[in-house]
RNA sequence: GCGGACGUGGCGAAAUGGUAGACGCAGCAGACUUAAAAUCUGCUAUCCGAAAUGGGUGUGCGGGUUCGAGUCCCGCCGUCCGCACCA
């Protein structure tokens, strides 16, 4: 007897699909389309087991939809620009381009054996000039439409690497690579006008019914809509009034001082004549803009000596302070402080000995502010002191609304909606990115490049031996005639943030070789992405940027109206984790061991070398430094792709993390082996007992129903459990050969989305017609799903005491009669009568005594 | 600080308000084998009991709604995640 040899089976069927062009996606208006997309990988060089899980889920959906008659688009590409390529070049002297394309080749080599139903002909990398050239064309269109602009902005600057760092790249105030103290620096940068769409981006979240609520909520918090009042304080010295924004205008009678940001124009103006102000501003700019840096930063203030008039009482003067905690790019960059009802303001006022005035009290306790600021929820009713809108007892929200109305009527303020969302700064002082296609001309200023000159390609002859941007110091690349006047001019040397590259690739997949960013007929047909799958780590940035891009592309005519929201459904999958085995050295530092170095016994781990017990940290994120990474290629070599695919889907629900265990992978392999053996056994069997056929067919159709439901609802682990259960039933069945054959072939069909190679092999072994990959999905026969008789549990006062077997269609009264006649019920009633009897047909009987 | 999710056997986990623990791992017993591995069969929440189509307990804790709660509501405790000087 032959054995299950995945390497042979998998190669054979991959070749067959390839030859037949089974997964090639062609536009076909006669068929409904389905676009499945997994977030494309960064070409690090190795496929990670997390990728395998992500693409397997997408592949299950793609194959399932194909068998349900959809014309499926399932593409793959690479998010190929970014810092790791430059870092590799700096570390080992190669070129980012070679490094990247080599990695892409390696990864494609590793992905092909997985048997994903991908249309490889559509593959591209974002570092292909054919791709980023079209991205430059989009940029020019956005520029013309006013969706991109240039402005000064404060950024994290690494003085050693000489580049801007993203907030995530600043650790404890130091550059993550150089270790240098990060400075705040003002630079002229390009920005996408995403804040213009804040309202729309937030409102439209409500319609994304097939997105996880968690992701929608995270985006909502990020966009951060708030409603408040904007008004101005007149200056006592007659200077320009100071405009402020507040969400708590109701606390105006508790104002203590007016604060402005160190970057506020007034602060700059004062600094010009007063060196002390300038020194203070510089002190504020030390340290990064990261959350940690801000969290630990002490509140600093500087009294300008200026005074402003309270809008409700011209005789009430408030001092103007410069304070380091006030952000220039939120609201107006100026506030009024109410220490009684804001902890941060209270801290500041205590430090600088400024007055604290209560504006409302707790209804019950009534006490004035003592240790902490009194900040009740806005819905809570409080007692107001001297409220100018005439309130005595009201909630904070009512007071806010009344105050805004009052201010608008009196003409000294206007209600305003503010967003937390800032414009997206896209300039990076990097080589390995998409060049920003503009030219700086001494006469004409900033001039967009002509579209016929695109792509503006990156030069190949660059060096990474010294820090800074190689484009900046390239001898000739910058030189170019001005597109407007033709005189010698200089190119922009900043490149685009790599998030730009991934913000529209989904649209490009619909026509990856088009001479324009998109092709009308293709985006009309293929958009939107019907199912998008990826990690929760992209919940905010990538998904928000893509939503912005889809709108911007729609405005500039590159996408149809329906693609304003590009992803109809989103699924965020969990990680693949693995236990860590470690011990501690005497100096407290951990020593990590590879899984091969330890032996597992009764839930404990021992070193093979000397039998010493080691600590187990379960379910940890895979990390090279912790020696707990599993390489999918090893798994494929050992067990085959189908086993790897089966395992990553089983055990845990897809949205949750799944722990990779050697035992689990082996169990998957054993199961596939069993199914394969069963397939052989059935073809070799003599005829069986046909009286068993109906029972088997009923189980089969239940399995069809359950697996279909599981796949439809992303319950892959539950679908797999059903497949195990049915395979167990089938292997024990004594039914006739035709019934067994029908069952194993249908089992193969049901397994095909998860283990396509084995399924295809079984299908052919039993004479299935054509490729299983093209076969229609089996339909459950409703009449076989219902049993003739059902077993009903009988509860007495909600506790299960007995069960009865009755015909499924028996009416309630009849069931009740039988139930009441059981020994358990008779005993419980003890001659008396039941208070109540509940009969749920086909479910349960509950007798209340 | 603000927002959210989750909490079920030794472990990963199932369960439209209707028999809690499907399925898998681990464990135990048996068959096959000279033996082991592989494979196959059976058992496996927990306590009492020799056993029982015996009984008690049981889905983090405390209450509530309901004939009936892992599931719904209220309050705690714990774990994880996101955001955070946002006026």
């Amino acid at each position: 007897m032959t054995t299950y040899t995945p390497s042979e089976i998998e190669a054979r069927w991959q070749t067959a699909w390839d030859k037949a062009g089974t997964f090639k996606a062609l536009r076909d208006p006669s068929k409904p389309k389905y676009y499945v997309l997994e977030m494309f990988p960064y070409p690090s060089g190795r496929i990670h087991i997390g990728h395998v899980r992500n693409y397997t889920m997408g592949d299950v959906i793609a194959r399932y939809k194909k068998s349900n008659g959809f014309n499926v688009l399932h593409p793959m590409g690479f998010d190929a620009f970014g810092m790791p390529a430059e870092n590799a070049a700096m570390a080992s002297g190669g070129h980012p381009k070679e490094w990247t394309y080599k990695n892409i080749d390696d990864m494609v080599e590793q992905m092909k054996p997985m048997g994903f139903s991908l249309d490889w002909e559509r593959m591209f990398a974002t570092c292909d000039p054919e791709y980023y050239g079209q991205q430059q064309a989009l940029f020019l269109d956005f520029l013309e439409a006013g969706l991109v602009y240039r402005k000064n902005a404060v950024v994290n600057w690494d003085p050693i690497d000489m580049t801007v760092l993203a907030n995530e790249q600043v650790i404890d105030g130091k550059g993550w690579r150089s270790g240098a103290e990060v400075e705040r620096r003002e630079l002229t940068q390009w920005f996408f006008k995403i804040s213009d769409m804040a309202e729309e981006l937030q409102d439209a979240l409500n319609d994304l019914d097939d997105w996880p609520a968690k992701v929608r909520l995270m985006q909502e918090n990020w966009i951060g809509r708030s409603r408040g009042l904007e008004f101005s304080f007149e200056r006592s010295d007659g200077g320009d009034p100071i405009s402020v924004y507040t969400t708590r205008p109701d606390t105006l009678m508790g104002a203590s001082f007016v604060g402005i940001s160190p970057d506020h124009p007034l602060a700059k103006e004062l600094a010009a004549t007063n060196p002390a102000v300038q020194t203070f501003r510089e002190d504020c700019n030390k340290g990064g803009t990261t959350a940690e840096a801000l969290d630990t930063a002490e509140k600093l203030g500087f009294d300008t000596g200026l005074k402003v008039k309270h809008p409700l009482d011209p005789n009430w003067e408030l001092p103007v302070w410069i304070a380091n905690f006030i952000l220039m790019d939120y609201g107006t960059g100026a506030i009024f402080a109410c220490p009684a009802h804001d902890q941060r303001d209270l801290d500041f006022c205590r430090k600088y000995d400024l007055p604290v005035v209560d504006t409302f009290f707790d209804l019950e306790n009534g006490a004035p502010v003592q240790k902490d600021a009194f900040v009740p929820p806005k819905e809570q009713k409080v007692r107001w002191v001297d409220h100018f809108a005439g309130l005595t007892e009201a909630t904070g929200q009512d007071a806010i609304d009344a105050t805004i109305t009052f201010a608008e009527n009196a003409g000294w303020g206007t209600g305003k909606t503010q967003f937390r969302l800032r414009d997206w700064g896209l300039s990076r002082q990097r080589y390995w990115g998409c060049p920003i296609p503009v030219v700086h001309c001494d006469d004409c200023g900033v001039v967009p490049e002509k579209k016929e000159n695109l792509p503006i390609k990156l030069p190949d002859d660059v060096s990474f031996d010294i820090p800074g941007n190689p484009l900046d110091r390239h001898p000739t690349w910058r030189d170019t005639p001005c597109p407007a006047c033709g005189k010698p001019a200089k190119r922009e040397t900043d490149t685009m943030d790599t998030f730009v590259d991934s913000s529209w690739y989904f649209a490009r997949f619909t026509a990856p070789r088009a001479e324009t960013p998109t092709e009308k007929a293709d985006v009309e047909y293929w958009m939107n992405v019907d199912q998008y799958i990826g990690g929760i780590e992209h919940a905010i940035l990538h998904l928000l940027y893509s939503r912005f891009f889809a709108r911007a592309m729609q405005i500039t005519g590159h996408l149809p109206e329906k693609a304003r929201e590009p992803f109809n459904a989103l699924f965020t999958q969990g990680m693949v984790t693995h236990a860590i085995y470690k011990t501690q050295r005497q100096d407290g530092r951990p020593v990590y061991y590879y899984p091969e170095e330890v032996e597992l016994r009764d839930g404990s781990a021992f070193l093979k070398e000397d039998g010493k017990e080691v600590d187990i940290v379960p379910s940890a994120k895979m990390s090279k430094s912790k020696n707990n990474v599993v390489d999918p290629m090893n798994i494929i070599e050992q067990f085959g792709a189908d086993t790897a695919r089966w395992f990553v889907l089983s055990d845990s629900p897809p949205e949750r993390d799944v722990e990779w265990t050697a035992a689990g992978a082996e169990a998957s392999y054993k199961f596939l082996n069993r199914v394969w053996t069963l397939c052989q056994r059935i073809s070799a069997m003599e005829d069986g007992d046909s009286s068993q056929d109906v029972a088997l067919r009923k189980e089969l159709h239940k399995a069809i129903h359950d697996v279909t439901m599981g796949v439809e609802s992303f319950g892959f682990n539950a679908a797999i459990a059903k497949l195990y259960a049915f395979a167990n039933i089938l292997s024990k069945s004594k039914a006739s050969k035709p019934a067994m054959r029908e069952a194993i072939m249908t089992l193969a069909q049901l397994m095909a989305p998860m283990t396509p190679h084995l399924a295809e092999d079984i299908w052919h072994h039993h004479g299935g017609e054509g490729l299983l990959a093209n076969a229609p999905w089996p339909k459950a026969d409703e009449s076989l799903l219902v049993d003739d008789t059902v077993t009903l549990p009988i509860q007495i006062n909600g506790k299960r005491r007995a069960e009865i077997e009755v015909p499924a269609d028996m009416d309630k009264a009849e069931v009740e009669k039988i139930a009441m006649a059981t020994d358990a019920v008779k005993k419980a009633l003890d001659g008396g009568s039941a208070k109540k009897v509940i009969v749920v047909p086909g479910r349960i009987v509950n007798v209340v005594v």
Side-chain angles (χ1 to χ4, degrees):
Chain A
M1 196 166 185
T2 45
T3 51
Y4 172 51
T5 40
S7 55
E8 239 173 69
I9 293 177
E10 290 173 3
R12 181 179 336 132
W13 296 112
Q14 280 165 21
T15 311
W17 297 327
D18 235 21
K19 265 192 190 157
T22 310
F23 305 120
K24 199 170 155 170
L26 295 172
R27 198 156 25 92
D28 177 359
S30 71
K31 274 166 112 183
K33 66 90 191 181
Y34 197 91
Y35 184 0
V36 195
L37 186 65
E38 299 101 52
M39 292 180 185
F40 66 165
Y42 178 79
S44 61
R46 294 303 289 177
I47 286 287
H48 185 269
I49 192 77
H51 293 128
V52 173
R53 193 176 191 212
N54 188 197
Y55 309 148
T56 302
M57 286 179 196
D59 204 44
V60 169
I61 302 291
R63 287 176 180 271
Y64 173 75
K65 288 291 173 184
K66 182 175 165 67
S67 67
N68 277 281
F70 287 92
N71 189 21
V72 172
L73 173 59
H74 187 207
M76 181 55 67
F78 290 90
D79 188 14
F81 273 137
M83 306 216 317
E86 283 188 56
N87 293 338
M90 278 185 254
S92 54
H95 193 282
K97 185 172 163 178
E98 283 159 25
W99 184 85
T100 303
Y101 280 104
K102 163 92 169 59
N103 284 351
I104 289 174
D105 288 346
D106 289 351
M107 285 174 84
V108 171
E109 280 298 294
Q110 292 164 45
M111 280 159 87
K112 289 250 166 113
M114 292 303 305
F116 299 130
S117 63
L118 292 162
D119 180 359
W120 285 104
E121 285 176 30
R122 287 177 188 255
M123 186 184 111
F124 61 76
T126 55
C127 63
D128 297 341
E130 296 75 24
Y131 181 79
Y132 71 71
Q134 297 304 331
Q135 186 164 304
Q136 290 167 338
L138 282 180
F139 180 93
L140 295 176
D141 288 347
F142 287 9
L143 187 60
E144 204 183 332
L147 294 161
V148 196
Y149 68 99
R150 255 177 129 227
K151 74 165 178 186
N152 285 338
V154 178
V155 293
N156 298 304
W157 179 260
D158 184 323
I160 291 191
D161 277 355
M162 295 203 290
T163 184
V164 165
L165 295 178
N167 281 346
E168 304 76 58
Q169 294 154 359
V170 182
I171 296 151
D172 293 333
K174 298 189 171 76
W176 69 284
R177 226 182 71 84
S178 67
E181 196 87 14
V182 165
E183 296 168 6
R184 275 156 54 94
R185 202 181 253 210
E186 201 165 293
L187 286 179
T188 306
Q189 305 256 289
W190 287 97
F191 286 84
F192 285 120
K193 248 189 169 167
I194 190 169
S195 64
D196 265 14
M197 293 188 194
E199 182 126 51
E200 143 90 9
L201 286 168
Q202 180 151 351
D203 288 342
L205 287 170
N206 294 327
D207 299 326
L208 296 175
D209 298 330
D210 292 323
W211 280 42
K214 182 188 170 125
V215 174
R216 296 201 318 244
L217 194 74
M218 280 164 77
Q219 293 221 350
E220 196 173 311
N221 290 339
W222 187 265
I223 297 167
R225 173 159 44 203
S226 70
R227 175 88 184 146
L229 182 73
E230 190 171 303
F231 66 97
S232 291
F233 283 97
E234 299 297 330
R235 276 177 42 198
S236 301
D237 65 359
D240 288 343
I242 299 171
S243 173
V244 299
Y245 171 75
T246 178
T247 55
R248 291 309 296 259
D250 54 317
T251 63
L252 188 52
M253 294 310 280
S256 185
F257 67 94
V258 165
I260 61 172
S261 163
D263 299 313
H264 194 277
L266 178 58
K268 289 184 188 172
E269 188 189 313
L270 294 171
T273 54
N274 184 344
V277 175
Q278 185 51 33
T279 310
F280 179 75
R281 290 188 65 226
E282 279 163 15
D283 287 346
C284 291
N285 280 342
K286 275 186 197 149
T289 56
T290 61
E292 298 98 289
L294 296 170
D295 213 24
T296 50
E298 205 192 338
K299 304 232 175 323
L300 296 175
F302 183 93
D303 187 356
T304 63
L306 296 175
K307 303 276 188 229
V308 293
K309 293 174 190 167
H310 195 282
L312 296 170
D313 179 0
N315 298 319
W316 182 355
E317 284 196 326
L318 297 169
V320 178
W321 284 67
I322 304 172
N324 66 338
F325 64 83
I326 302 169
L327 307 170
M328 189 55 222
D329 46 7
Y330 187 78
T332 61
I335 62 160
F336 81 80
C338 177
H341 307 296
D342 183 301
Q343 191 58 43
R344 188 194 51 195
D345 292 348
L346 185 62
D347 294 344
F348 190 89
C349 287
R350 291 238 164 103
K351 179 171 176 184
Y352 292 105
D353 213 14
L354 290 155
V356 177
V357 185
D358 296 282
T359 59
F360 52 76
F361 295 109
D362 191 279
L363 280 187
E364 278 152 34
N365 304 321
V369 167
Q370 292 180 347
K371 187 163 160 280
D372 296 321
F374 177 45
V375 194
K378 283 182 187 167
E379 299 75 35
Q380 188 179 321
K381 259 195 180 178
V382 290
R383 183 160 47 79
W384 293 86
V385 187
D386 189 26
H387 194 274
F388 44 93
L391 302 165
T392 50
E393 278 186 14
T395 65
Q397 190 58 56
D398 288 345
I400 291 165
D401 295 342
T403 305
I404 292 173
T405 310
F406 178 88
E408 285 182 339
N409 290 342
W412 54 267
T414 39
K416 208 180 162 189
T417 302
Q418 251 330 307
F419 294 90
R420 211 187 68 106
L421 183 68
R422 322 276 172 80
D423 279 336
W424 169 16
L426 66 116
S427 303
R428 295 289 180 271
Q429 293 69 43
R430 289 277 162 193
Y431 164 74
W432 195 232
C434 172
I436 295 172
V438 297
V439 174
H440 299 270
C441 171
D442 286 342
D443 295 345
C444 312
V446 179
V447 186
E449 187 52 270
K450 288 180 187 160
K451 273 200 184 166
E452 59 260 37
N453 293 338
L454 302 184
I456 305 303
K457 285 194 193 173
L458 288 168
D460 287 337
D461 52 336
V462 284
S463 67
F464 296 90
D465 42 3
I466 50 171
N469 183 351
L471 292 180
D472 224 14
R473 58 170 185 263
H474 191 280
T476 54
W477 186 78
R478 299 187 68 171
D479 300 322
T480 186
C482 168
C485 69
K487 280 194 211 151
K490 300 278 187 199
R491 285 195 188 290
E492 167 93 34
T493 59
D494 283 355
T495 52
M496 295 186 205
D497 181 3
T498 55
F499 274 106
V500 178
D501 312 333
S502 54
S503 293
W504 71 286
Y505 77 108
F506 50 88
R508 185 69 182 168
F509 272 137
T510 63
R513 316 286 170 235
E515 301 284 323
T516 45
T518 61
E519 195 77 67
K520 195 168 189 298
D522 288 297
V523 284
E524 289 278 359
Y525 180 75
W526 290 114
M527 286 299 287
N528 297 345
V529 175
D530 292 280
Q531 181 65 60
Y532 197 31
I533 308 170
I536 186 76
E537 66 273 20
H538 296 110
I540 296 172
L541 294 182
H542 163 60
L543 290 165
L544 187 63
Y545 292 156
S546 297
R547 296 179 63 220
F548 161 74
F549 245 74
R551 283 166 173 77
M553 286 175 75
Q554 194 247 318
I555 289 166
T556 49
H558 297 288
L559 279 179
E561 170 67 28
K562 67 170 180 179
R564 280 180 89 80
E565 282 300 337
F567 312 124
N568 290 349
L570 172 70
F571 190 87
T572 51
Q573 104 271 8
M575 286 187 304
V576 183
T577 62
H578 193 285
I580 292 174
Y581 306 107
K582 64 169 189 174
T583 54
Q584 238 176 31
R585 282 209 297 233
Q586 275 177 349
D587 62 5
R589 284 199 308 185
V591 186
Y592 297 102
Y593 301 95
Y594 288 100
E596 305 85 75
E597 293 179 278
V598 300
E599 193 179 351
L600 296 172
R601 257 181 284 135
D602 300 334
S604 302
F606 303 90
L607 273 185
K608 280 180 187 164
E609 198 182 4
D610 56 9
K612 232 172 60 187
E613 181 162 2
V614 300
D615 295 336
I616 305 177
V617 183
S619 304
K621 185 174 179 173
M622 289 190 190
S623 157
K624 268 186 199 163
S625 64
K626 308 258 168 80
N627 292 359
N628 70 333
V629 176
V630 295
D631 187 338
M633 298 322 288
N634 294 343
I635 309 300
I636 292 175
E637 251 171 61
Q638 206 181 342
F639 301 119
D642 281 340
T643 293
R645 295 170 59 116
W646 185 262
F647 179 78
V648 294
L649 296 173
S650 57
D651 282 359
S652 280
E655 68 276 13
R656 227 178 285 176
D657 291 350
V658 63
E659 178 161 340
W660 183 278
T661 62
E666 272 167 46
S668 298
Y669 181 66
K670 280 182 194 171
F671 175 73
L672 300 187
N673 231 315
R674 250 168 65 208
V675 173
W676 191 85
T677 310
L678 184 58
C679 162
Q680 307 293 312
R681 213 186 76 206
I682 289 172
S683 55
M685 75 188 270
E686 303 295 323
D687 212 3
D689 175 2
S690 57
S691 71
Q692 302 289 312
D693 289 4
V694 175
L696 180 62
R697 292 197 74 222
K698 280 194 168 186
E699 293 293 345
L700 175 63
H701 282 259
K702 270 182 207 160
I704 295 173
H705 178 261
D706 291 348
V707 172
T708 306
M709 298 298 282
V711 172
E712 288 272 358
S713 62
F714 268 86
F716 302 133
N717 58 323
I720 281 181
K722 296 292 176 194
L723 288 165
Y724 268 108
F726 179 69
N728 289 342
I729 289 167
L730 178 57
S731 69
K732 288 186 184 123
S733 174
K734 303 270 188 295
S736 72
K737 185 166 181 173
M740 296 287 277
R741 186 175 160 274
E742 181 201 349
I744 189 81
M745 287 181 77
T746 310
L747 177 65
Q749 281 183 284
L750 296 176
M751 287 174 67
M754 295 93 167
T755 57
H757 313 89
L758 173 62
E760 193 81 63
D761 209 61
I762 294 172
W763 181 255
H764 282 266
H765 192 87
H766 284 280
E769 204 179 310
L771 286 166
L772 175 54
N774 289 320
W777 189 251
K779 294 266 174 292
D781 182 341
E782 293 288 331
S783 68
L784 288 168
L785 296 179
V786 287
D787 285 314
D788 301 339
T789 63
V790 287
T791 307
L792 292 188
I794 300 191
Q795 292 184 338
I796 292 163
N797 292 336
K799 296 224 180 275
R800 184 179 159 279
R801 290 296 134 139
E803 49 182 50
I804 52 171
E805 178 110 358
V806 294
D809 55 359
M810 181 180 267
D811 67 57
K812 273 168 107 167
E814 199 74 11
V815 171
E816 183 174 334
K817 225 165 88 187
I818 294 171
M820 298 309 281
T822 55
D823 291 346
V825 173
K826 276 198 244 166
K827 198 176 138 202
L829 289 176
D830 198 21
S833 62
K835 275 194 203 145
K836 198 170 182 181
V837 180
I838 288 111
V839 179
V840 184
R843 281 283 177 198
I844 205 163
V845 179
N846 193 10
V847 181
V848 187
V849 202

